[in-house]
Amino acid sequence: MMAGKVKWVTDIEKSVLINNFEKRGWVQVTESEDWNFYWSAPALSGDSSCSGQPPSGGVTLSRPWPLSSTLCRPGSRAPMSVQTIRNVFSVETGYRLSDDQIVNHFPNHYELTRKDLMVKNIKRYRKELEKEGSPLAEKDENGKYLYLDFVPVTYMLPADYNLFVEEFRKSPSSTWIMKPCGKAQGKGIFLINKLSQIKKWSRDSKTSSFVSQSTKEAYVISLYISNPLLIGGRKFDLRLYVLVSTYRPLRCYMYKLGFCRFCTVKYTPSTSELDNMFVHLTNVAIQKHGEDYNHIHGGKWTVSNLRLYLESTRGKEVTGKLFDEIHWIIVQSLKAVAPVMNNDKHCFECYGYDIIIDDKLKPWLIEVNASPSLTSSTANDRILKYNLINDTLNIAVPNGEIPDCKWNKSPPKEVLGNYEVLYDEELAQGDGAERELRSRSGQSLGPRGIRSRDSGRSFLTTWK
């Protein structure tokens, strides 16, 4: 009776997921049974240090995922013992997933979704492009990247404490934001504007007790964007959904129905309000506890509303340029991690990108979330997230049939729903060769340039 039906398992009991599975006629099974599709919550890797060093043995995971998986020996479909996902992808165990099994995370997704590792990989990517003499790594007269300056200045603590102090003293009136490396939903975040506020970090790092005691967490400290774009006097950020079906070649999709998350209290850069998280942090997990939180709209605005607002207040051209730059940032961040990502054919991933726009309409990448929240705070939220999962499944599991991870992961346009292709490396390489040919023959390169606000020169984007 169950033959031919997709058998699914999840450790996230959310109706937007389960309703989508049931709508397709898929059959729920337990972790110890044979399954085809596993939607799992990732581990928050808060128990590993900011050094990013992997544990010894197996795949370089910061710790075993909570995903329990039916494992199969090569050539066997019989369910075996329940193991962690780390063992599924470990060469040493001798187990493997079958071709008809897929999961919703790449084994070392944390290379992008852990705050410290994301910054580390982007810094490495920039240096590599610089070493290659790539025009993308061009800098201005002050040594700032013209096209790759999209992450706020960031240091790891305690490891980079002395470097941070040096930078802090260059601009002692600046504000910095501290975040634990492996936590989400605004937990453990605070702002500082005096070195005395983190002397404790310095003392601990000198004695190495900070690193050796597992009860103490590693943090990143970033220059706070103190001039955010305000709407109605309030700070907001963008939550954008990006689906990656493969890293090599890189193929990713942008979901058109992202949204803005607003603070409930009007923004002020005043130092007296540094401790007021209702002013500074947009996370719904924090804002929903505010006195002025609106349970009808949840303090959210659609990206399309934001675009209309900006077009009417700032103009269509600069608004179009802003969204082009946001797309550029996302693709460059994925390119930065692609070389180190374990591009397992059984995997896909839907990421939640958090972007802040400053008052000069410059976008900044704040962080990337693995398995972004599927909790619905409003009716519109529920509809959006149901459709997000629906469209994701249509791409990841073509026709809702038993998966075959050997397929080329290039679905036809008509199944994309609210997704649109953001970047396809194979197509881009083909286009690049064609553009080079046209360029050599003196033909126009067309309007696909992204113009630097500093240089006035344009260069070709390769993500369209």
Side-chain angles (χ1 to χ4, degrees), residues 2-8 19-28 36-37 100 102 348 389-404 407 411-412 415:
M2 286 169 59
K5 296 276 189 182
V6 172
K7 287 165 268 187
W8 62 270
N19 291 347
N20 265 295
F21 298 154
E22 291 177 346
K23 178 182 85 167
R24 288 165 168 77
W26 293 2
V27 179
Q28 184 173 13
N36 303 114
F37 185 88
D100 61 357
I102 58 173
F348 68 94
I389 297 300
N390 181 57
D391 292 346
T392 300
L393 294 178
N394 284 341
I395 293 173
V397 191
N399 304 315
E401 297 170 353
I402 290 176
D404 177 4
W407 80 295
V415 307

Side-chain angles (χ1 to χ4, degrees), residues 76-182:
S76 166
R77 285 294 297 143
M80 297 189 71
S81 60
V82 174
Q83 297 284 345
T84 64
I85 197 68
R86 178 181 173 187
N87 291 332
V88 171
F89 292 107
S90 171
V91 176
E92 295 169 3
T93 61
Y95 298 126
R96 65 167 174 79
L97 286 174
S98 295
D99 286 345
D100 61 357
Q101 290 180 301
I102 58 173
V103 296
N104 69 315
H105 296 291
F106 288 92
N108 57 336
H109 65 84
Y110 55 82
E111 294 284 358
L112 178 64
T113 60
R114 220 181 114 103
K115 298 173 184 73
D116 54 332
L117 296 183
M118 179 192 80
V119 171
K120 177 183 168 186
N121 283 314
I122 289 172
K123 285 180 177 177
R124 191 205 68 250
Y125 174 64
R126 294 192 296 208
K127 283 177 183 171
E128 285 173 356
L129 287 175
E130 207 173 339
K131 197 174 174 182
E132 293 167 8
S134 169
L136 298 185
E138 190 180 343
K139 293 180 177 177
D140 65 14
E141 60 275 10
N142 298 316
K144 276 194 174 182
Y145 289 99
L146 291 176
Y147 314 120
L148 298 173
D149 177 35
F150 54 79
V151 176
V153 175
T154 299
Y155 297 98
M156 318 307 164
L157 290 185
D160 297 337
Y161 179 77
N162 291 333
L163 289 172
F164 160 69
V165 170
E166 190 181 326
E167 186 68 30
F168 183 93
R169 285 179 174 151
K170 289 180 190 172
S171 182
S173 60
S174 56
T175 298
W176 295 74
I177 184 165
M178 289 193 65
K179 302 178 181 182
C181 289

